[in-house]
């Protein structure tokens, strides 16, 4: 086992770094931490780091199914869903209440990456310090 403190970093290849940066800042409230050049940007939510790198899909054929942002409450996920729909974002899967008590919906970013907005009962209530 690799000792760890959870998933805190993700790097994505994107077609347009500025467009992707605007999307993640506007939709998920991330902030630019560092943009060393026009081909790279590093964003933070305060507890997570998202690296955006201009480029084509991986030569290794790696496929990303989706990634997610944990949301604090069920009501916050529901409000986010209606905001995303009203904002014209590309909804992939609509709001769903799952049998395990989780609640989520999926949307697509400008590069086609699928993102889950998720309330998960065992980790959403955790206080991140």
């Amino acid at each position: 086992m690799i000792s760890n403190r959870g998933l805190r970093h993700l790097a994505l290849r994107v077609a347009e770094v500025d467009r992707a940066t605007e999307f993640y800042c506007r939709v998920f409230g991330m902030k630019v931490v560092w943009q060393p050049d026009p081909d790279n940007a590093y964003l933070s939510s305060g507890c997570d780091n998202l690296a955006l790198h201009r480029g084509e899909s991986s030569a290794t054929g790696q496929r990303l199914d989706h990634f997610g942002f944990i949301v604090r409450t069920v009501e916050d996920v529901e409000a986010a869903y209606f905001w995303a729909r009203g904002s014209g974002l590309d909804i992939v899967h609509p709001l769903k209440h799952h049998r395990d008590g989780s609640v989520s919906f999926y949307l697509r970013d400008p590069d086609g990456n699928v993102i889950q907005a998720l309330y998960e009962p065992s980790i959403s209530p955790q206080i991140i310090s």
Side-chain angles (χ1 to χ4, degrees):
M1 177 179 83
I2 297 173
S3 179
N4 68 86
R5 298 183 128 205
L7 179 65
R8 296 285 184 256
H9 173 72
L10 177 70
L12 294 175
R13 287 184 185 87
V14 299
E16 298 176 31
V17 172
D18 288 342
R19 180 182 69 173
T21 297
E22 186 278 331
F23 174 85
Y24 285 99
C25 290
R26 177 174 56 90
V27 175
F28 292 102
M30 299 192 90
K31 305 284 187 229
V32 176
V33 175
W34 183 43
Q35 188 163 6
D37 55 55
D39 293 329
N40 299 282
Y42 299 89
L43 312 178
S44 177
S45 66
C47 61
D48 296 302
N49 175 266
L50 176 62
L52 303 172
H53 306 295
R54 184 181 319 276
E56 300 298 320
S57 60
S58 171
T60 63
Q62 179 173 328
R63 301 285 188 256
L64 173 70
D65 181 73
H66 75 277
F67 63 96
F69 283 84
I70 298 299
V71 179
R72 191 173 57 87
T73 67
V74 170
E75 295 78 15
D76 289 344
V77 174
E78 293 168 339
Y81 174 70
F82 292 111
W83 175 84
R85 274 190 28 199
S87 297
L89 298 179
D90 183 4
I91 304 295
V92 177
H93 297 292
L95 183 71
K96 181 175 181 181
H97 291 252
H98 305 278
R99 288 181 290 176
D100 66 352
S102 63
V103 178
S104 70
F105 71 96
Y106 296 77
L107 64 152
R108 197 176 312 277
D109 78 2
D111 287 279
N113 295 301
V114 177
I115 308 157
Q116 182 181 28
L118 171 67
Y119 168 80
E120 199 288 323
S122 65
I123 61 175
S124 288
Q126 292 179 3
I127 297 171
I128 305 295
S129 57

